[in-house]
Amino acid sequence: KMTITFADKMLSKLRAEPTMLTLPANISSFAKMEDLSNTFMENRYYLSEREEELYKSITKADNIGKKLAEKRIRCLNASLLYGDSGTGKTTFGRFLAYKLDIPFLYLNFSYLISSLLGKTGQNIQLVFDYAKQQRCVLMLDELDAIGIERGGINEVGEMSRIVIALMQALDTLGNDVILLAATNRYDIIDNALKRRFPRKHQVVPLTAKEKFAFGKAYLSDCGYDLSAEEIAAIISTAEKQSEVENRIIQYIIDYESEVR
C-alpha cells in the first residue's frame, strides 16, 4: 500500500505538478501512477455535456458495483474513448481519477511493446494484476498500438497473441476496477476487443461556444479578466482542446513578458 507525505502533497500543489507514486519494480519501467488530489486544476478543465454524461455513467456503475458483485453479477466498468489526438481523452481520465479521489494508473501501449514481443502480454497481465489490488483509474492509451484487427494480410502472429492476452486480462477484471482505453484509430481496433468495452465514446473537438467557455474559465482562474472580444481573439484559430490551452498559455507568456 502506498503512502504520500503531507509535505510531498503541498510541494506538488505549489508546483502544480502531479505527485508521482512509486510502482512495483516489475511494472515501473512502462507504467506510471499519479496522485491528482491536490494538483488537478478543475477550474481549468472544461467538461462538455457529452463527457459529463460519460462521467455520470461511469460513476453510477462504480457506486453500484459492489452490490452487483454480491448478486454475482459481473459488470465491467470499462469505456473505450476514441477521437482525434488533442481532444482531451487522457485528460478526461485524469479528471475522473481526481473526482473519485483515487490514483491514476497510466499505461501507454506504444511504450509497452518490447523488442521481445513475447514479454508484452506478460507485462499487460502484471499491470492488470496490480490494478486489481489498488483502487485506481486504469488508463490504456494508444490502444491501436497493439489492439489491431486480427486476420489481416499484414498481421504479425505475435501481435495477434498480444491482443488475445489483453482480452484475457480484461476478462479477469472485477466490478471495482475503473478502466479507460483511448485510441485515435477506432477503425482498426479488433472487433472482439471492442466488445469488451460496454461504452464506446467518441471525444470530439469543442464547439465554438464551448471553446469560449473553456478559455474564459481558464483565463479567469489564472487571474486574467478579459473581454469577450479579447478571449475570442486568443482562441479563434484553435480547433482542439489542447490547442485552446496552448493559445492561452502563449497569451500569458506574451502578456507577462511585456509587463516585465
Side-chain angles (χ1 to χ4, degrees):
K1 182 140 180 151
M2 297 167 299
T3 59
I4 311 168
T5 67
F6 177 79
D8 286 339
K9 283 191 174 184
M10 289 303 100
L11 283 171
S12 184
K13 185 174 183 179
L14 287 171
R15 295 169 181 162
E17 297 173 349
T19 302
M20 305 308 297
L21 306 179
T22 302
L23 290 172
N26 60 354
I27 65 172
S28 61
S29 63
F30 49 81
K32 63 180 182 179
M33 180 174 268
E34 305 172 25
D35 170 36
L36 298 158
S37 58
N38 289 292
T39 57
F40 187 87
M41 312 293 282
E42 185 176 4
N43 292 337
R44 302 180 193 180
Y45 173 71
Y46 185 82
L47 184 68
S48 71
E49 291 182 359
R50 299 173 298 280
E51 274 68 70
E52 184 176 9
E53 287 302 311
L54 174 63
Y55 168 73
K56 289 178 179 178
S57 179
I58 293 171
T59 53
K60 181 191 294 184
D62 184 51
N63 290 335
I64 205 70
K66 186 175 181 180
K67 181 172 289 187
L68 291 176
E70 291 171 353
K71 296 179 180 292
R72 298 185 180 182
I73 299 173
R74 181 175 180 266
C75 177
L76 181 59
N77 196 354
S79 307
L80 176 55
L81 311 182
Y82 63 98
D84 293 343
S85 59
T87 51
K89 297 184 291 296
T90 304
T91 309
F92 174 79
R94 289 190 169 93
F95 166 77
L96 179 62
Y98 166 77
K99 294 296 286 185
L100 294 174
D101 195 24
I102 57 178
F104 179 69
L105 179 57
Y106 178 81
L107 177 63
N108 188 313
F109 279 134
S110 68
Y111 300 147
L112 174 64
I113 297 176
S114 169
S115 57
L116 299 173
L117 285 176
K119 290 186 177 181
T120 303
Q122 176 185 348
N123 289 340
I124 291 171
Q125 190 61 57
L126 288 171
V127 173
F128 275 69
D129 288 343
Y130 179 75
K132 286 184 284 187
Q133 301 169 19
Q134 170 69 46
R135 177 162 166 77
C136 62
V137 171
L138 171 58
M139 177 124 205
L140 312 177
D141 204 1
E142 297 195 36
L143 184 64
D144 48 279
I146 68 169
I148 56 177
E149 183 72 46
R150 290 165 294 158
I153 58 174
N154 296 318
E155 178 185 301
V156 178
E158 187 58 40
M159 291 301 290
S160 179
R161 284 188 283 274
I162 292 171
V163 175
I164 294 172
L166 174 57
M167 291 192 292
Q168 290 173 338
L170 286 167
D171 291 341
T172 67
L173 293 180
N175 297 2
D176 56 337
V177 177
I178 300 172
L179 177 69
L180 299 177
T183 179
N184 57 5
R185 287 300 311 275
Y186 184 80
D187 57 307
I188 66 171
I189 301 298
D190 185 89
N191 285 326
L193 180 56
K194 287 179 183 176
R195 288 195 292 271
R196 260 64 178 188
F197 293 87
R199 305 180 202 89
K200 289 89 169 172
H201 179 83
Q202 183 176 15
V203 182
V204 299
L206 299 178
T207 65
K209 184 178 179 180
E210 291 170 337
K211 286 192 296 182
F212 179 83
F214 176 30
K216 182 178 180 180
Y218 195 114
L219 286 160
S220 176
D221 191 63
C222 293
Y224 299 90
D225 184 18
L226 303 181
S227 68
E229 291 76 15
E230 289 171 318
I231 296 172
I234 293 170
I235 66 174
S236 61
T237 59
E239 295 182 358
K240 300 175 183 177
Q241 286 87 320
S242 60
E243 293 173 351
V244 173
E245 185 172 16
N246 289 340
R247 298 292 191 281
I248 292 170
I249 293 172
Q250 187 59 53
Y251 165 80
I252 295 173
I253 291 172
D254 294 340
Y255 178 85
E256 295 298 335
S257 296
E258 291 177 6
V259 171
R260 295 180 65 181

